[in-house]
Amino acid sequence: MTRSSRARSPSMTQPSPDAVELRGITKRFPGVLANSDVSLSVRAGEIHALMGENGAGKSTLMSILYGLHQPDAGTIALHGREVSFTSPAQAISTGVGMVHQDFALFPQLTVTENVIFGREPIRRGFLSRKAARAAVASLIDKHELRLRPDTRIADLPVGLRQQVEILKLLYREASILILDEPTAVLTPAETSRLFGVLRDLAAAGKTVLFVSHKLQEVLEVSDNVTVLRDGEVTARGATSSFTGPALASAMTGRAVDLDRTYPAGSPGKVVLEIPGLTVYAGEIVGIAGNGQAELVESITTGVHDEVAHVPESRSEVGSAPHAPLAANLAVGFQRRLANKGFLRPSAIREHAGKIIARFDVRGTGSTMDTLSGGNQQKAILGRELTHGAPLLVVEQPTRGVDVGAIENIHAQLIAYRDAGHGVLLVSAELSEILALSDRILVMYGGRFVAEFDRENADPGQIGLAMAGGAR
Ligand SMILES: Nc1ncnc2c1ncn2[C@@H]1O[C@H](COP(=O)(O)OP(=O)(O)OP(=O)(O)O)[C@@H](O)[C@H]1O
Ligand SMILES: [Mg+2]
């Protein structure tokens, strides 16, 4: 039976309309066709993955569904009714919620205050703190989140901040939840907990749009998948009908080697020596486990010329979002780009141009925040590698970066090592640590509990040490 004949003769057996139906969405930004005639259908109770390279147009499409952008062409229907949002507030009141790639929480406020912000429960004309706290506590319980209502956001690790964002949507009774790269900031354990939450939500009839680069995660958690490349749909279908390599090539338009390994480095002189940890020039030392934040802070605080640093949270400490890309790329190079105390615009442009070309930073936007998330990451990494400091401390270098760009970034890190620099690599991706590291140190509870050479680095053993079962 065709769709139109169904519409003419409604019956009890007729399936309900899709929860989300985007048709022919086109969106242009100056110089970029971000979405080109994109259609996407998602049933209620479905987890639908949206994949694509950095800059493919995923966030743009989801922002249109969320009312942040208006499409130049195309229509949106929710549960069979056409809608046209001119603001996120309208989307939210229609049951659409979105967690963005970069969080939007108030660090000085508590979990409860963040969750209820803009929708405070009122009793007799006053904000009822008790009612707010109770509502938030019961949602935390119901969805088995690892949060407490009274914790300040500033005191939460990035992984738990994301749970607060999800809690915000649940508090607003969203029935369509958009998560833009939700696992980029999570540890493997937090990711599986999130997947449990998403499955429960889908089983309860909610619709989940899951934006991700990670092939394994898409294969594991989604029912259906849509792949974008350069703003166009290049593949769609039941997730079970795809393999990882098939998704990777739909994303990139070429075959991608997912399990590349690199030759070992040749260690030279010491570039970092602190209790429990020595890093030599010409080697990559990978840090697995948890509790690295203090380690990194102690290494990077106050030593700017000897240490280049790519931080975990690029939006917080890595960049100035509203400043031009070229200005962001000039940070730390002021002396080299100045003449008689004045920065030379031509030198800034030339310097930026080199980094953009070498690291394949894509996007024509004038300011940093108009770049797609992955391209911001490539830009910051490019800037820090270009410093040429003896030691590079790099946290989550490929977070939010697509498979094609991961290849590029890994090759750049290896090249940096081979040029005689030391690299301290902190990553939640064990596969990334295994692929790149000459030595691997495992932290547990803020201490080093195990060390592995490249030759005897066994994922099972490392996993055991990460879980606290030290040798
Ligand atoms: N506000 C904006 N102004 C100008 N260009 C923009 C704006 N927002 C997005 N773009 C451009 O539109 C294209 C699609 O970007 P989008 O953020 O949707 O990509 P994405 O698939 O989410 O990428 P990523 O995986 O890196 O997050 C990119 O070329 C980006 O630079
Ligand atoms: Mg994006």
Side-chain angles (χ1 to χ4, degrees), residues 309-314 317-318 377 380 383-384 393 395-396:
H309 181 210
V310 178
E312 171 178 349
S313 173
R314 61 174 174 265
V317 277
Q377 178 72 353
I380 289 167
R383 177 186 75 198
E384 293 302 312
V393 177
E395 300 180 77
Q396 321 299 349

Side-chain angles (χ1 to χ4, degrees), residues 200-428:
D200 287 349
L201 292 172
K206 298 209 190 263
T207 304
V208 178
L209 277 145
F210 172 69
V211 179
S212 177
H213 295 287
K214 298 188 186 171
L215 301 162
Q216 287 316 320
E217 294 181 355
V218 168
L219 291 169
E220 181 186 336
V221 79
S222 69
D223 302 304
N224 291 295
V225 56
T226 298
V227 183
L228 291 180
R229 183 166 78 239
D230 293 335
E232 290 180 37
V233 175
T234 52
R236 74 167 103 239
T239 306
S240 55
S241 67
F242 288 98
T243 61
L247 289 174
S249 74
M251 279 169 55
T252 61
R254 64 186 170 90
V256 179
D257 184 355
L258 297 175
D259 302 300
R260 183 141 165 217
T261 53
Y262 298 90
S266 39
K269 64 179 185 5
V270 172
V271 292
L272 174 73
E273 189 156 30
I274 58 172
L277 172 66
T278 306
V279 178
Y280 298 90
E283 73 164 354
I284 297 179
V285 176
I287 308 281
N290 51 46
Q292 307 100 332
E294 279 124 35
L295 172 75
V296 168
E297 204 182 322
S298 72
I299 297 171
T300 54
T301 311
V303 273
H304 294 302
D305 288 344
E306 270 92 73
V307 183
H309 181 210
V310 178
E312 171 178 349
S313 173
R314 61 174 174 265
S315 60
E316 258 172 53
V317 277
S319 71
H322 303 301
L325 171 61
N328 271 282
L329 294 177
V331 173
F333 291 91
Q334 288 90 335
R335 250 181 297 163
R336 281 182 251 179
L337 297 174
N339 185 15
K340 301 192 176 113
F342 291 99
L343 284 166
R344 290 173 297 130
S346 62
I348 292 177
R349 269 198 309 275
E350 195 182 311
H351 167 77
K354 277 189 203 148
I355 295 176
I356 288 167
R358 191 170 139 212
F359 290 88
D360 190 23
V361 181
R362 294 185 211 176
T364 56
S366 53
T367 58
M368 193 73 176
D369 58 359
T370 64
L371 291 185
S372 75
N375 279 300
Q376 290 181 26
Q377 178 72 353
K378 289 195 257 177
I380 289 167
L381 188 82
R383 177 186 75 198
E384 293 302 312
L385 284 179
T386 306
H387 277 301
L391 177 67
L392 171 74
V393 177
V394 57
E395 300 180 77
Q396 321 299 349
T398 56
R399 173 173 285 173
V401 168
D402 66 67
V403 281
I406 287 173
E407 270 192 340
N408 174 353
I409 287 172
H410 283 180
Q412 298 279 1
L413 289 172
I414 294 287
Y416 194 75
R417 175 198 74 179
D418 290 346
H421 305 102
V423 177
L424 190 67
L425 166 70
V426 173
S427 175

Side-chain angles (χ1 to χ4, degrees), residues 35-308:
N35 291 152
S36 171
D37 192 20
V38 175
S39 294
L40 175 76
S41 306
V42 190
R43 281 178 285 107
E46 173 183 335
I47 300 181
H48 194 104
L50 183 61
M51 297 198 85
E53 284 191 297
N54 298 133
K58 305 178 297 293
S59 295
T60 301
L61 189 68
M62 293 299 97
S63 299
I64 287 172
L65 176 57
Y66 187 56
L68 266 173
H69 293 308
Q70 281 67 53
D72 298 323
T75 59
I76 305 175
L78 303 180
H79 304 288
R81 270 194 305 148
E82 197 162 309
V83 295
S84 158
F85 300 139
T86 54
S87 72
Q90 289 177 354
I92 290 166
S93 66
T94 315
V96 180
M98 177 163 176
V99 178
H100 294 279
Q101 244 169 313
D102 293 303
F103 302 156
L105 298 169
F106 299 104
Q108 299 311 320
L109 300 185
T110 66
V111 169
T112 297
E113 288 161 345
N114 269 277
V115 167
I116 66 166
F117 185 81
R119 206 179 195 250
E120 293 83 358
I122 305 294
R123 297 271 184 285
R124 298 174 212 274
F126 291 98
L127 164 69
S128 167
R129 286 187 182 279
K130 239 173 105 180
R133 194 186 177 285
V136 169
S138 98
L139 276 175
I140 289 173
D141 255 24
K142 181 170 164 204
H143 297 285
E144 295 175 17
L145 303 174
R146 292 175 79 203
L147 298 170
R148 294 209 200 93
D150 304 321
T151 317
R152 270 182 351 136
I153 300 300
D155 298 329
L156 287 177
V158 183
L160 289 182
R161 291 183 195 192
Q162 190 214 32
Q163 293 202 357
V164 180
E165 291 279 8
I166 292 175
L167 194 54
K168 265 165 76 177
L169 305 195
L170 297 172
Y171 182 76
R172 282 159 183 73
E173 293 166 19
S175 68
I176 296 163
L177 292 91
I178 306 167
L179 295 109
D180 196 352
E181 296 193 36
T183 63
V185 292
L186 302 188
T187 63
E190 285 171 325
T191 296
S192 52
R193 205 166 296 115
L194 170 71
F195 286 178
V197 171
L198 297 186
R199 286 196 193 96
D200 287 349
L201 292 172
K206 298 209 190 263
T207 304
V208 178
L209 277 145
F210 172 69
V211 179
S212 177
H213 295 287
K214 298 188 186 171
L215 301 162
Q216 287 316 320
E217 294 181 355
V218 168
L219 291 169
E220 181 186 336
V221 79
S222 69
D223 302 304
N224 291 295
V225 56
T226 298
V227 183
L228 291 180
R229 183 166 78 239
D230 293 335
E232 290 180 37
V233 175
T234 52
R236 74 167 103 239
T239 306
S240 55
S241 67
F242 288 98
T243 61
L247 289 174
S249 74
M251 279 169 55
T252 61
R254 64 186 170 90
V256 179
D257 184 355
L258 297 175
D259 302 300
R260 183 141 165 217
T261 53
Y262 298 90
S266 39
K269 64 179 185 5
V270 172
V271 292
L272 174 73
E273 189 156 30
I274 58 172
L277 172 66
T278 306
V279 178
Y280 298 90
E283 73 164 354
I284 297 179
V285 176
I287 308 281
N290 51 46
Q292 307 100 332
E294 279 124 35
L295 172 75
V296 168
E297 204 182 322
S298 72
I299 297 171
T300 54
T301 311
V303 273
H304 294 302
D305 288 344
E306 270 92 73
V307 183

